[in-house]
Amino acid sequence: MSTPRYDVITIFPEYLSPLSLSLIGKAEERGLLATKVSDLRAFTSGVHKSVDDTPYGGGAGMVMSPVPWGEAIDVIAEEAEGEGLSTHTLIILTPAGRRLDQAFAYELAQKEHLIFACGRYEGIDYRVTDHYSTRDHFEVIEVSIGDYVLGGGEVATLVILEAVIRLIPGVLGNAESLKEESHTLRDESTEPLVEYPNFTKPPEWRGLEVPPELLSGNHGLIAKWRVAAAKERTEKLKDQTRE
Ligand code: 6GU
């Protein structure tokens, strides 16, 4: 695959400043990917730079106008095509979208161009979803990061990008750490498990000892202990959400 590109369109570009830090920032410096944050207001006309209006049909709040969104997405798609990217995945952030999980993050990590449309207020005029759903070289996915309501899609975009970018080949120093982590680890029944608990030195801390299996040097015993501990942790987690 060519170098993946990640565009974010928002009325709060500073909200995305963590993209230049840590894992994502380093991956970009190493040329493994490209990111760009665009200000939606740069695609408005008129002195008021207005991006929203009252909803047809009435109701609380404001709805984002499709006009600047269409301009912004078209310009960004053209720019990406100039760089040799031919298909665009438009991600519309909304609590009404498909919930992000690890399998979905793997799917998104295969895409060459993600465009994140960060809505605020009561969301974006739905014709943006409809229009790009039928446009050549585009696919549209509405995405949510969980069952709660945020003020806008910016933080959700950071969450998705952090989950996706660490799956791109070469981004993580140790590819092995991908295999054993939560939600990837499975037992024989292929039920997804959260990660087993981890321990490091010292061997005793505040009266607590590291499980002796992990100090045994016996790799079979260690693997067995880890699967059992992951199952136990997964069950505990289920109990918390069952009430
Ligand atoms: Cl993607 N956006 C908003 N506004 N709230 C959310 C969300 C997204 N995901 C969960 N809650």
Side-chain angles (χ1 to χ4, degrees):
M1 193 174 66
S2 50
T3 307
R5 172 171 164 147
Y6 304 104
D7 277 282
V8 184
I9 310 167
T10 171
I11 57 168
F12 295 121
E14 321 84 74
Y15 232 122
L16 279 300
S17 54
L19 288 182
S20 57
L21 302 176
S22 188
L23 192 77
I24 302 175
K26 284 200 194 92
E28 182 155 21
E29 279 172 29
R30 290 162 59 209
L32 296 171
L33 54 95
T35 68
K36 185 175 175 183
V37 179
S38 298
D39 187 346
L40 182 68
R41 289 194 203 278
F43 299 91
T44 55
S45 52
V47 283
H48 297 297
K49 298 202 174 297
S50 160
V51 293
D52 61 338
D53 212 326
T54 54
Y56 280 122
M62 300 290 270
V63 175
M64 296 189 101
S65 163
V67 180
W69 282 107
E71 297 296 323
I73 295 162
D74 287 353
V75 165
I76 285 165
E78 245 175 70
E79 198 173 293
E81 280 162 25
E83 291 173 3
L85 299 171
S86 53
T87 62
H88 319 288
T89 302
L90 177 61
I91 297 196
I92 300 192
L93 286 312
T94 164
R98 172 176 169 192
R99 175 107 60 94
L100 182 71
D101 61 17
Q102 193 63 18
F104 191 12
Y106 270 101
E107 282 178 40
L108 294 176
Q110 311 302 314
K111 310 284 187 188
E112 61 173 358
H113 187 204
L114 301 181
I115 305 173
F116 293 87
C118 299
R120 286 256 146 194
Y121 320 112
E122 298 306 310
I124 304 172
D125 186 304
Y126 200 72
R127 288 171 291 181
V128 174
T129 302
D130 282 338
H131 172 78
Y132 288 99
S133 295
T134 60
R135 271 267 297 261
D136 280 354
H137 312 294
F138 274 90
E139 66 173 337
V140 179
I141 316 178
E142 294 179 313
V143 182
S144 161
I145 61 164
D147 292 340
Y148 40 80
V149 179
L150 302 171
E154 286 79 7
V155 170
T157 295
L158 288 173
V159 167
I160 297 165
L161 279 174
E162 187 151 325
V164 167
I165 285 173
R166 60 193 292 289
L167 301 177
I168 292 169
V171 169
L172 283 193
N174 180 7
E176 282 301 301
S177 56
L178 278 183
K179 282 196 198 143
E180 297 219 337
E181 66 191 7
S182 292
H183 306 294
T184 309
L185 188 67
R186 284 168 186 274
D187 67 6
E188 325 77 55
S189 68
T190 80
E191 177 197 20
L193 300 175
V194 299
E195 200 186 17
Y196 49 79
N198 283 299
F199 301 87
T200 185
K201 292 181 240 346
E204 195 223 293
W205 178 76
R206 298 194 178 181
L208 298 170
E209 288 179 356
V210 173
E213 291 85 346
L214 300 180
L215 306 176
S216 69
N218 178 337
H219 296 293
L221 189 64
I222 292 168
K224 234 175 99 185
W225 181 88
R226 284 179 166 167
V227 170
K231 281 184 185 171
E232 190 184 322
R233 206 178 189 184
T234 304
E235 287 308 314
K236 248 195 230 163
L237 197 57
K238 283 191 200 161
D239 286 342
Q240 285 172 12
T241 49
R242 256 199 294 262
E243 292 304 323

